Amino acid sequence: MSLKDITDSAWPGVTATPLSKLDIALAQFCHDLQASSDIRHRWLVALVSHQWGRGHACLDLSQSPEQTAIALSWSTEQLQALPADLADAAHHIPWIQGDNSPLVLSAQRLYLRRAWQAEQTIQENLAARLRQTLHVPANLEQQLDELFGPSDGTTDWQRQACAHAAQHAVTLITGGPGTGKTTTVVKLLKLLQANAQAPLNVVLTAPTGKAAARLTQTLSNARTQLPADQASLLGGQAQTLHRWLLSVDTDKTGSTPDVVVVDEASMIDLEMMARLLLAVPLSARLVLLGDKDQLASVEAGAVMAQLCQSKLLSPHTISLLHSHRFNDKEGIGQWARAANSGDTPTLKQLWGQTPEACFQEGLVVSRLSVTHSTDATTLRKITSSWQPWLAELSALQRSGAVCDDQQALALLKSFSRIGVLCALREGRWGVQAFNRQLQLALGFTDTPWFTGRPVMARRNDYALGIMNGDLGLCLPRLVNGAIRLRVAFADAQSGVRWQVPGRLDDVDTVFAMTVHQSQGSEFEQVLLVLPDRTSPILTRELIYTGMTRARQQLCVWAPAPALLYTACERQVLRSGGLD
């Protein structure tokens, strides 16, 4: 039976739903293996697959109809296509029997087996870690006084986090930008190294190249303040999580880490977390850093947020609340706090009193409410912030010179001061449209490759040494006596990797990027672009994440301000069993 036959005749109502061909095909595959006379069983398989594709670990059958509607994000008409009493059919579904069944029913949660297995691995591994007995430094409080200063009677959560990690095998440290997560890790590593009989093997890792580079830079700054014999004890270069896991799979040296620090852990999906835990020896201390309020991973799972709430890990979670970067009563901090708490009245007040401008000198936060995404005046305001970078690039082109490593790094740094972050990928308010508009507004040619084209890798390419999220810049380079365009990527050692444009087959132009793509990055100035109509992707986590990428200035472009308020009232609720 063809897929068209399935959708049109044998499966009434399915064409009225957002179920993909893959979702439907999986359900039909299960039915072909072992037929079921109850059409609800096929609906359940397709829904589990559908939810997995949308980031949920499972289909939660315990939810009320209202909660199910929110979890699916379907329209009323689409929901009406679902048969009644779906949850009742789950307990006699034929494809949950046996150790190799494609589905698993656990309590009231229906999983694809791969998702259930990943959750089981995470829970069992963490439980095993927490049973480990580790060496606890002697005179711990005295050593903490030396690192943080004597207690003044108030709770120092950085000190608490350091103390906990010194005594336990697993520690989750969560907090917003500027709350001191990596600073705490620096002090923790100094403490642990000071009490070790031999130098500890420290692994530093993060999900993306950008996040790994930031962690490396933080540790490098800390090393400059230490004597030479102590600097090396803070660990080497941070690696991407993918690269480190690959090295573990192929390592023949038998090198065993004593401490593993993972930054931006909120970006780690369900299956990647399972791989990480299996790779870290039970004897090693594991420290996960992240912001539980940020967007979850692009792939399935909301691991960091759920672990912070779980009975198993909540006692091992330390929340850093004081931001050393933002004042939550003014500027970016005030906006971010209102968004993160869903405080609509405060957001409306802030919007009303914030000047209509974009990165205007003297304004920390500004707003745009122009309803046309192609408005020329607004685009000029945006691109004016790139003028220093554009001037450096133009001077290079006018001179006819080629670019060396130092110039490439300077241009990458100058370009990366500005972040134009879109909520959507497609449509006139999405990154695809904005990239073209900004490219033309900046005076670049409408060609695939040109001097100054910024690109971001969309996947890991181990052959080229490029990781998902790495930023590159197309520049003139002297190659065998001739000037050729090459793409410069900064590496973790403050050097440059030059790549042939034709070999980069999976990159995006990034004058603008999605908020998801910006995770792990920081910019001096951020323009957060929202669409003019509602979308399921507009949530509190997306708004908060976009706002907190800014270090100095934030501009919010909301052609329909009401969508900003409703987005902050809507939270990402991913179904899963880790919490």
Side-chain angles (χ1 to χ4, degrees):
M1 185 182 293
S2 71
L3 188 58
K4 184 177 186 303
D5 293 332
I6 295 169
T7 57
D8 288 346
S9 58
W11 196 333
V14 75
T15 57
T17 72
L19 293 175
S20 69
K21 291 181 179 180
L22 177 61
D23 302 329
I24 297 167
L26 177 62
Q28 187 60 30
F29 173 75
C30 291
H31 180 71
D32 290 344
L33 286 178
Q34 185 176 357
S36 169
S37 60
D38 192 336
I39 190 64
R40 293 178 298 175
H41 292 159
R42 272 178 280 174
W43 277 105
L44 286 168
V45 176
L47 287 172
V48 171
S49 174
H50 176 72
Q51 291 299 78
W52 171 260
R54 297 180 61 251
H56 296 269
C58 64
L59 177 66
D60 192 340
L61 300 170
S62 67
Q63 292 179 329
S64 67
E66 293 77 14
Q67 291 171 321
T68 300
I70 294 172
L72 287 173
S73 297
W74 289 9
S75 68
T76 302
E77 293 75 15
Q78 291 166 342
L79 288 168
Q80 289 173 348
L82 295 174
D85 303 322
L86 269 175
D88 294 341
H91 295 281
H92 49 85
I93 193 170
W95 311 306
I96 60 173
Q97 308 301 322
D99 294 338
N100 296 310
S101 61
L103 302 179
V104 174
L105 181 63
S106 177
Q108 286 291 93
R109 297 186 180 96
L110 187 61
Y111 292 86
L112 296 176
R113 176 165 288 277
R114 61 186 290 188
W116 177 82
Q117 186 60 63
E119 276 198 1
Q120 293 296 110
T121 297
I122 292 170
Q123 291 171 332
E124 292 169 3
N125 188 282
L126 288 172
R129 290 181 187 280
L130 295 175
R131 291 194 294 268
Q132 299 298 305
T133 301
L134 300 180
H135 169 71
V136 178
N139 304 317
L140 179 58
E141 289 301 319
Q142 179 182 337
Q143 295 187 62
L144 290 171
D145 284 345
E146 294 173 359
L147 289 168
F148 294 92
S151 174
D152 61 0
T154 61
T155 301
D156 183 339
W157 290 109
Q158 290 187 41
R159 178 185 174 123
Q160 292 290 99
C162 187
H164 185 280
Q167 301 173 79
H168 297 88
V170 181
T171 302
L172 279 65
I173 303 177
T174 180
T179 53
K181 297 186 292 294
T182 49
T183 302
T184 303
V185 167
V186 169
K187 295 184 177 182
L188 170 66
L189 294 178
K190 291 169 64 176
L191 173 66
L192 295 178
Q193 293 282 16
N195 288 273
Q197 295 181 348
L200 299 174
N201 181 11
V202 178
V203 169
L204 306 171
T205 185
T208 67
K210 294 175 297 181
R214 280 183 50 213
L215 182 58
T216 295
Q217 187 60 51
T218 300
L219 272 294
S220 296
N221 294 339
R223 290 188 196 98
T224 62
Q225 303 173 27
L226 294 175
D229 60 334
Q230 297 181 27
S232 62
L233 300 180
L234 294 186
Q237 301 289 336
Q239 306 176 63
T240 64
L241 192 51
H242 290 85
R243 183 176 291 281
W244 181 67
L245 290 173
L246 181 65
S247 72
V248 171
D249 292 340
T250 59
D251 184 25
K252 306 299 183 183
T253 65
S255 175
T256 302
D258 299 299
V259 183
V260 176
V261 177
V262 186
D263 201 7
E264 297 290 351
S266 62
M267 299 172 65
I268 302 177
D269 63 77
L270 192 66
E271 293 185 306
M272 183 59 71
M273 183 62 78
R275 285 187 61 196
L276 167 66
L277 292 174
L278 290 175
V280 178
L282 289 179
S283 59
R285 281 181 172 83
L286 175 64
V287 181
L288 301 177
L289 310 176
D291 185 346
K292 63 180 178 60
D293 297 323
Q294 277 190 40
L295 280 168
S297 61
V298 175
E299 304 298 329
V303 181
M304 183 75 175
Q306 291 184 358
L307 288 180
C308 289
Q309 298 171 5
S310 70
K311 292 181 180 179
L312 182 67
L313 266 292
S314 60
H316 301 275
T317 300
I318 310 296
S319 298
L320 305 182
L321 305 176
H322 176 67
S323 175
H324 301 277
R325 182 182 306 168
F326 300 135
N327 182 341
D328 62 11
K329 295 183 180 179
E330 62 182 19
I332 298 171
Q334 187 179 21
W335 276 81
R337 182 182 182 186
N340 195 33
S341 60
D343 187 349
T344 299
T346 298
L347 282 173
K348 289 181 177 179
Q349 181 183 357
L350 290 171
W351 181 266
Q353 67 188 28
T354 298
E356 181 90 5
C358 183
F359 303 147
Q360 183 173 309
E361 188 174 353
L363 288 179
V364 175
V365 181
S366 55
R367 67 173 175 91
L368 292 171
S369 55
V370 179
T371 56
H372 299 287
S373 61
T374 57
D375 182 71
T377 301
T378 303
L379 290 174
R380 282 195 296 271
K381 291 179 182 178
I382 299 169
T383 56
S384 65
S385 294
W386 267 307
Q387 288 309 308
W389 169 73
L390 208 58
E392 295 174 37
L393 196 64
S394 298
L396 182 70
Q397 291 178 290
R398 285 195 305 270
S399 67
V402 292
C403 199
D404 59 26
D405 287 10
Q406 186 175 359
Q407 289 172 309
L409 288 172
L411 286 165
L412 277 166
K413 182 178 180 180
S414 181
F415 173 80
S416 300
R417 290 178 53 252
I418 317 300
V420 178
L421 313 183
C422 299
L424 306 181
R425 175 172 289 276
E426 299 177 351
R428 58 197 181 107
W429 293 94
V431 292
Q432 294 178 352
F434 264 88
N435 270 311
R436 178 175 173 78
Q437 290 159 203
L438 291 171
Q439 178 177 327
L440 298 177
L442 285 164
F444 293 109
T445 58
D446 189 13
T447 56
W449 288 101
F450 52 88
T451 297
R453 181 191 177 191
V455 296
M456 179 179 287
R458 294 187 62 182
R459 63 178 176 84
N460 298 324
D461 189 327
Y462 296 103
L464 298 181
I466 296 172
M467 298 294 109
N468 180 23
D470 283 358
L471 179 69
L473 204 56
C474 188
L475 298 166
R477 179 81 167 160
L478 189 63
V479 182
N480 297 327
I483 298 177
R484 298 283 186 263
L485 288 180
R486 294 293 184 264
V487 183
F489 290 88
D491 62 25
Q493 289 75 38
S494 300
V496 175
R497 299 188 308 277
W498 294 92
Q499 302 294 346
V500 177
R503 297 191 67 187
L504 302 173
D505 58 356
D506 200 0
V507 295
D508 286 333
T509 300
V510 283
F511 291 110
M513 65 182 73
T514 63
V515 176
H516 273 95
Q517 287 176 311
S518 75
Q519 284 184 274
S521 298
E522 291 178 349
F523 307 90
E524 291 181 16
Q525 299 172 310
V526 162
L527 171 65
L528 177 60
V529 182
L530 305 182
D532 61 354
R533 58 192 63 191
T534 190
S535 167
I537 204 170
L538 293 177
T539 63
R540 176 183 304 179
E541 290 82 0
L542 182 135
I543 303 297
Y544 169 76
T545 300
M547 288 179 174
T548 54
R549 298 310 88 199
R551 292 181 62 90
Q552 297 178 10
Q553 287 186 299
L554 168 68
C555 179
V556 180
W557 189 352
L563 294 183
L564 169 65
Y565 314 142
T566 56
C568 292
E569 294 170 355
R570 183 191 302 136
Q571 288 184 274
V572 174
L573 299 174
R574 287 190 171 181
S575 300
L578 290 179
D579 57 353

